Amino acid sequence: MSDEPDAPEPVDEGAFGIDAFSLDDRLRLFHFAAAEKRHEYLWLLRAFDRGRANYQVLLHASDAVGLLERLTADHPAAGAVGDDVQPLLDALADWQILDRSYDGTRAANLAEYRNRHYVYQFTQAGYRAYRAVEDVLGARLEDAQLSRLVFPDILGDLHALAEANAAGDAEEVYRKLGRLDSVLNEMAQRAARFYLMLGDLARTNDTRPEVFLAHKDTLLGHMREFTAELGRYAPLLAEAVEKAAATGVERMIEYAAEADERLFRSPAERLADWRHRWDGIVHWFAEREHSETERLQDATVTAIRSVLALLRRVTEARRGGVSRESQLRHLAQWFTSCESDEDAHALFQAVFGLGAPRHIAVPYADPEQIPGRTSWWEAEPVELARTLVQSGRTPALHGPGRIERNDDRRARLRAEQLKEQAERRNAANTLASDGVYGRTLDEPETRALLALLDVALAARVPASRSVTAASGSAHGVRLTLIPAEGSTTVDTVRGRLHLDGLRLEVTG
C-alpha cells in the first residue's frame, strides 16, 4: 500500500480552457437579457453604466433610482423601471452581474447598522456581459464594408517596427506590434461581417430586389477596389514582414514582452502571447502557401462572382414583370371574384390539378384505360401501397445504387496536377539559376516568367509614391523590376519581350 497522497482528479476543461462550473457561471451572466423583466434589467444596468462613467462606482438602491430619473429625462422608457429596484438588484447580484457588499457608513444608529445597507457595483465579468448586449443592440447590421485604406498604414507600421527593433526601442516595438495585431483582428472581423451581409442579401433578393438593385454599383465597385488594393499591397507587405524578421524575431518578442505592463501575466506568458501575435502577422502576409491575404483575395473574387450571378437573377426576374408573389396575388383576386362555390372549385381544379386520379403520381396498371383528365370521383380507385398511405413514402424495392467513384480517373488527374506543379517549380528554379537574358526561354519558363511579371506589375504603386522598383513572388522565387537605361529584351519561344526602362532579376 503506497503512502503517497492520491493525485487530484483532473478537471474536465472545454475547448476554451474553462471547466464546466466556470462555463455555467459565465453563461448565467446573460440571463437578464432573456428574463421576463429584461427591459427593466437593461435600463437599471444602463443607470449603473452612467454612474461608472461619472466615477460613481458603488451605488445604493436610492442612488440607482436617482440615476434612472436622470435617464428618464432623455429616454422616457427608463421610467418604466419604477422606484422599487431592490428585487431587480438582488436578481442581478444572484446572477453575478453586480457585486453586493455591506455599507455601514449609512447607518445613523445601531438598528440601521444591523439592517446592513447594501451597495452594488459591476463585477468585471458582469460589465463585459452588459457591454456585449449593448453592442448587439446598438450595432447596425447593414454597416459592413471591407477596409482597403488600412493597407498603407500596415505597411508603414511594419517598416517602423523593423526600424524600432534594429534601434532597440522596446516601447516602440510594443506599440507597433500591438497596433498591427489589433488592425489585423479588426480587418478580419470586417471581412467576416461583410461576407455575412452578402449572404443575407442573397437570401432576401426574392422579396426585396430593390434593396440590391439600388446599391449594386456601389457594392461591386467597393469589392473591386478592395481586390485591387489587396493584390497591389500583398507583395509589399510580405517583403516588409521579411525585413522586420531579418532584424531579429526573438529580440523583437523580448522587447514587446519587456514593455508589456499587464500585471497578472508572468514573463513566460507575455513572451508566449507576443510570439503568437507575431506568428499571426506572418500567417497573414508572409506564408509561402495559403496566406491569409490570398484567402481573403480568393473570397472577395468569389463574392464578386456571386454578386454578379445575383444581379443576373434579379434582372431576369424584373425583365419578365411577373414574380411568384404577383402571380399568387392575382390568383387570390380571381378566387375572391368567383360568383359561386362551383366556379371557385373549377378554378382550383384548373390551377392546381389536384382532382385528377393521378395527382399522387401513382399510375393505373393500364394508363390508357382511364383518361388523365377524369375526376377521381368518377374514375376507378388506384391501388396504393400501405407505406404510401401511412407515411407518404413509396415502397423501396431495393437499396441505394452504388456510387461510381472512378478512382482511376481521379488518380490520373491528380498525377497530372502534380506533374504541372513540379514543371512550374522547376521552371521557376531554372529562371533563378540561369537568369532570363542571353538565352531563349522554353514554354514552361515563359509561363513562369509571365506569372511572376504579372504579380510584380500589380504590386507597383503610383508614381507619386517615389518607389523605384517592384517585386513579386511565386513558386518559391522572386522577380524584381529594376530601373535600367534604355530597354531590355527577353527571348522566349513565343517571341521577344521588350521592357522599356526596366531590367528583370529573378532570385531564389
Side-chain angles (χ1 to χ4, degrees):
M1 185 173 181
S2 176
D3 295 334
E4 297 180 358
D6 296 335
E9 296 183 359
V11 178
D12 184 15
E13 295 188 352
F16 297 97
I18 303 176
D19 60 84
F21 296 104
S22 299
L23 182 63
D24 290 340
D25 288 340
R26 294 192 182 185
L27 291 178
R28 288 179 61 202
L29 296 170
F30 295 93
H31 280 5
F32 79 94
E36 182 179 356
K37 297 182 178 181
R38 52 187 173 272
H39 298 289
E40 289 84 347
Y41 288 127
L42 181 61
W43 281 110
L44 183 58
L45 291 177
R46 285 172 174 170
F48 271 82
D49 189 33
R50 172 168 287 195
R52 180 189 178 102
N54 296 329
Y55 305 104
Q56 189 178 359
V57 180
L58 295 172
L59 296 180
H60 190 266
S62 59
D63 299 330
V65 172
L67 288 171
L68 282 171
E69 291 176 353
R70 288 196 288 272
L71 276 176
T72 306
D74 299 328
H75 308 281
V81 180
D83 296 336
D84 189 14
V85 298
Q86 192 62 49
L88 303 178
L89 293 172
D90 293 338
L92 292 172
D94 293 339
W95 291 329
Q96 299 180 6
I97 301 172
L98 299 179
D99 179 66
R100 178 172 52 194
S101 58
Y102 301 126
D103 182 17
T105 60
R106 292 177 174 267
N109 51 49
L110 182 60
E112 291 185 2
Y113 178 78
R114 289 175 178 174
N115 287 333
R116 294 179 174 178
H117 290 266
Y118 287 123
V119 288
Y120 301 85
Q121 64 176 332
F122 271 116
T123 63
Q124 184 178 5
Y127 183 72
R128 291 191 177 187
Y130 161 71
R131 288 309 314 170
V133 173
E134 285 285 17
D135 290 342
V136 172
L137 294 177
R140 295 186 59 184
L141 302 182
E142 67 275 9
D143 286 347
Q145 69 275 354
L146 299 170
S147 178
R148 66 179 179 85
L149 300 179
V150 76
F151 294 127
D153 296 335
I154 296 176
L155 184 60
D157 287 341
L158 286 172
H159 289 315
L161 175 63
E163 295 175 359
N165 192 36
D169 190 347
E171 294 184 356
E172 185 67 12
V173 169
Y174 168 77
R175 285 192 291 267
K176 295 304 179 183
L177 267 181
R179 179 177 173 181
L180 284 169
D181 180 67
S182 61
V183 167
L184 292 180
N185 287 333
E186 181 183 2
M187 187 166 65
Q189 293 176 5
R190 282 173 176 264
R193 290 197 300 268
F194 182 78
Y195 296 132
L196 284 176
M197 182 268 293
L198 289 181
D200 294 339
L201 185 63
R203 286 191 296 270
T204 58
N205 73 91
D206 290 337
T207 56
R208 296 188 304 157
E210 62 278 359
V211 175
F212 174 74
L213 293 175
H215 305 289
K216 63 178 180 62
D217 293 332
T218 303
L219 186 63
L220 289 173
H222 180 68
M223 287 191 293
R224 285 169 178 163
E225 290 176 0
F226 177 80
T227 305
E229 287 292 291
L230 182 59
R232 188 157 60 97
Y233 275 95
L236 300 177
L237 293 171
E239 185 178 358
V241 171
E242 293 177 358
K243 287 183 179 180
T247 61
V249 175
E250 291 301 324
R251 181 173 61 176
M252 181 193 306
I253 295 173
E254 291 175 359
Y255 284 154
E258 178 185 348
D260 194 345
E261 297 180 349
R262 286 178 290 182
L263 300 177
F264 302 106
R265 290 288 186 96
S266 65
E269 290 176 340
R270 295 177 191 173
L271 285 171
D273 181 38
W274 286 105
R275 184 174 289 106
H276 176 71
R277 298 189 187 193
W278 172 254
D279 292 340
I281 295 174
V282 173
H283 175 66
W284 258 94
F285 302 113
E287 286 285 348
R288 290 294 182 183
E289 296 181 358
H290 306 296
S291 65
E292 198 68 23
T293 53
E294 293 178 355
R295 292 178 53 195
L296 183 58
Q297 192 166 17
D298 293 342
T300 308
V301 173
T302 303
I304 291 176
R305 289 199 296 264
S306 300
V307 170
L308 291 175
L310 178 58
L311 173 61
R312 185 168 52 253
R313 292 200 304 269
V314 173
T315 305
E316 291 176 354
R318 281 298 184 91
R319 186 182 304 163
V322 178
S323 63
R324 179 62 58 86
E325 180 181 359
S326 63
Q327 290 176 346
L328 292 176
R329 289 182 180 276
H330 283 291
L331 181 60
Q333 185 177 2
W334 289 349
F335 274 109
T336 56
S337 300
C338 291
E339 297 181 356
S340 62
D341 292 342
E342 290 76 8
D343 295 339
H345 287 304
L347 178 60
F348 182 87
Q349 171 65 23
V351 173
F352 298 104
L354 297 182
R358 302 172 190 173
H359 70 284
I360 52 177
V362 178
Y364 287 95
D366 186 2
E368 298 180 355
Q369 180 181 358
I370 299 177
R373 294 183 176 274
T374 304
S375 173
W376 59 10
W377 296 106
E378 302 173 358
E380 295 292 330
V382 182
E383 294 182 2
L384 301 178
R386 183 177 297 273
T387 57
L388 182 61
V389 176
Q390 293 178 346
S391 61
R393 295 192 301 268
T394 57
L397 301 179
H398 51 79
R402 182 176 178 273
I403 299 177
E404 297 294 337
R405 297 188 180 276
N406 201 350
D407 294 332
D408 295 338
R409 180 173 176 80
R410 292 177 60 188
R412 185 169 63 256
L413 292 176
R414 179 57 178 167
E416 293 176 357
Q417 184 182 21
L418 293 175
K419 180 180 178 181
E420 292 177 359
Q421 292 178 355
E423 186 180 71
R424 289 194 297 267
R425 192 179 303 109
N426 293 334
N429 292 331
T430 304
L431 291 176
S433 60
D434 298 342
V436 298
Y437 295 104
R439 63 191 186 93
T440 301
L441 306 184
D442 57 16
E443 182 61 27
E445 292 174 343
T446 303
R447 289 199 300 267
L449 177 63
L450 293 178
L452 289 168
L453 189 61
D454 184 35
V455 176
L457 290 175
R460 298 183 71 186
V461 296
S464 60
R465 291 279 180 128
S466 68
V467 176
T468 59
S471 62
S473 60
H475 311 302
V477 299
R478 180 182 297 276
L479 173 68
T480 304
L481 304 177
I482 303 175
E485 296 291 337
S487 62
T488 59
T489 303
V490 179
D491 295 325
T492 69
V493 294
R494 300 184 184 181
R496 291 185 175 182
L497 176 63
H498 298 282
L499 300 172
D500 187 16
L502 291 174
R503 180 177 178 81
L504 305 181
E505 180 180 339
V506 184
T507 58

